[in-house]
Amino acid sequence: MRRVRAAVAGAPGAPFTVRDVDLEEPRACEVLVRMTAAGICHTDLGMRDTWPRRLTPMVFGHEGAGRVEAVGAEVTAVAPGDHVCLTFASCGVCEQCATDHPAYCHAAHALNFSGGRPDGTTALSLGGEPLHAGFFGQSSFATHAVVHQRGVIAVPSGLPAAVAAPLGCSGQTGAGTVLNRLCPAPGSSLVVMGAGGVGLSALMAAVAAGCDPVVAVDPVASRRALATGLGATAALAPGDGLVAALRDLTGGGAHHVVETTGRPEMARRAVGALRPRGDVALLGLGGEVTFDVMGLLAKGVRVHGVLEGDSDPGRFVPELIGLYRRGLFPLERLVTTFPFEEIGAAVAAMEDGSVVKPVLTFAR
């Protein structure tokens, strides 16, 4: 056991409190990572607020980056000293994993959302009692994490940690939706609804893929300005007349719309903004949404539900790093860093919209 620091949520909806906790050494197929950075995602906050009380206290966080300190006896992909990005856990053997779609792993719930390992244990403890962890296979709101080897991706040592961290979720979710699922042809039109970390990652991928026009929709003026700075042809505020404006900008309707807000009314607007046989990708973790089925049929609309960009992280994260190094995926422009101990301020900045992607940094 080693003493580490972790941001603990004591109950559903409770604020994060940084505490001293104990962490086990890695098991045979696990990796011990000392964090250098951890992104905060809306999913962390939404899940914290609705997390089952029986699985609290809990450590969240699922966009970790750091250096490997120790590995289990069966780990071969990384070694102590390696710089790594952390991502979601998957089994590696089910039908979905075997066909390079691990985001839809048959064991996803047990590996990512059970509050511990699949066998019911947890690597963390607080005051001698088990502390639930293993969120997205990592629980990276901590100075150290024990992670299954399939959730660890080696990255170049020169890659800034504040860039590496968001690649594990928001970066690959937005970009992967465009590059892995929608696969737009150069010159096709693409609209992104919601200019947060996921939406702007999708936008950057669309620009890199040669989409034209690329249009962003967001209520926050600073985010619209950032979207145009990242290559969007136009950036609009939501409101009356949005669908008509989008159809006008895209020459009668978009080929593709990426909806990241999770708001039912925005999902319906996304469908309304499409041209015949267009694609809408739904990424937001919202509630139920109803569509006019006849309208979908008449336009031949294809509706995609996409998790984690439908990516195989071991292949796709290095591709994103390649785009970043070529200046085609400037993820650093989304990032604002905060010291780990100021996680409360980072959360508040995300919630009030003043920052796009808060990333916690850890003292060396």
Side-chain angles (χ1 to χ4, degrees), residues 319-341:
E319 290 181 10
L320 289 181
I321 294 171
L323 290 175
Y324 166 78
R325 287 182 151 182
R326 291 163 55 197
L328 298 175
F329 195 67
L331 191 57
E332 77 285 354
R333 295 183 61 181
L334 279 58
V335 168
T336 303
T337 59
F338 295 80
F340 172 56
E341 301 281 341

Side-chain angles (χ1 to χ4, degrees), residues 162-259:
V163 170
L167 292 174
C169 183
S170 59
Q172 73 174 346
T173 295
T177 296
V178 174
L179 301 177
N180 298 329
R181 179 65 71 86
L182 298 178
C183 304
S188 59
S189 53
L190 188 143
V191 173
V192 176
M193 292 191 166
V198 172
L200 290 175
S201 293
L203 185 149
M204 291 187 291
V207 172
C211 292
D212 184 30
V214 177
V215 184
V217 177
D218 197 274
V220 181
S222 60
R223 296 189 178 198
R224 296 197 299 272
L226 178 56
T228 56
L230 291 170
T233 310
L236 307 179
D240 294 341
L242 175 64
V243 171
L246 291 172
R247 293 179 63 82
D248 183 60
L249 283 167
T250 57
H255 292 92
H256 312 283
V257 179
V258 179
E259 205 299 297

Side-chain angles (χ1 to χ4, degrees), residues 103-319:
Y104 308 102
C105 173
H106 292 178
H109 185 273
L111 292 168
N112 295 283
F113 307 114
S114 65
R117 301 184 178 99
D119 66 3
T121 63
T122 174
L124 288 174
S125 58
L126 174 63
E129 297 295 327
L131 174 60
H132 293 285
F135 187 60
F136 276 78
Q138 54 186 273
S139 288
S140 52
F141 288 169
T143 58
H144 296 72
V146 166
V147 187
H148 191 281
Q149 62 178 333
R150 278 186 57 83
V152 180
I153 304 159
V155 300
S157 59
L159 183 70
V163 170
L167 292 174
C169 183
S170 59
Q172 73 174 346
T173 295
T177 296
V178 174
L179 301 177
N180 298 329
R181 179 65 71 86
L182 298 178
C183 304
S188 59
S189 53
L190 188 143
V191 173
V192 176
M193 292 191 166
V198 172
L200 290 175
S201 293
L203 185 149
M204 291 187 291
V207 172
C211 292
D212 184 30
V214 177
V215 184
V217 177
D218 197 274
V220 181
S222 60
R223 296 189 178 198
R224 296 197 299 272
L226 178 56
T228 56
L230 291 170
T233 310
L236 307 179
D240 294 341
L242 175 64
V243 171
L246 291 172
R247 293 179 63 82
D248 183 60
L249 283 167
T250 57
H255 292 92
H256 312 283
V257 179
V258 179
E259 205 299 297
T260 72
T261 71
R263 297 178 181 273
E265 70 276 14
M266 295 305 291
R268 287 189 287 270
R269 288 178 175 180
V271 170
L274 288 170
R275 66 179 59 203
R277 301 186 66 247
D279 295 89
V280 58
L282 304 178
L283 312 188
L285 299 178
E288 295 183 0
V289 57
T290 58
F291 295 109
D292 173 9
V293 175
M294 190 61 202
L296 297 180
L297 295 176
K299 293 177 67 172
V301 168
R302 290 162 290 195
V303 180
H304 303 259
V306 189
L307 290 176
E308 297 290 348
D310 198 0
S311 70
D312 178 355
R315 173 193 62 82
F316 190 58
V317 167
E319 290 181 10

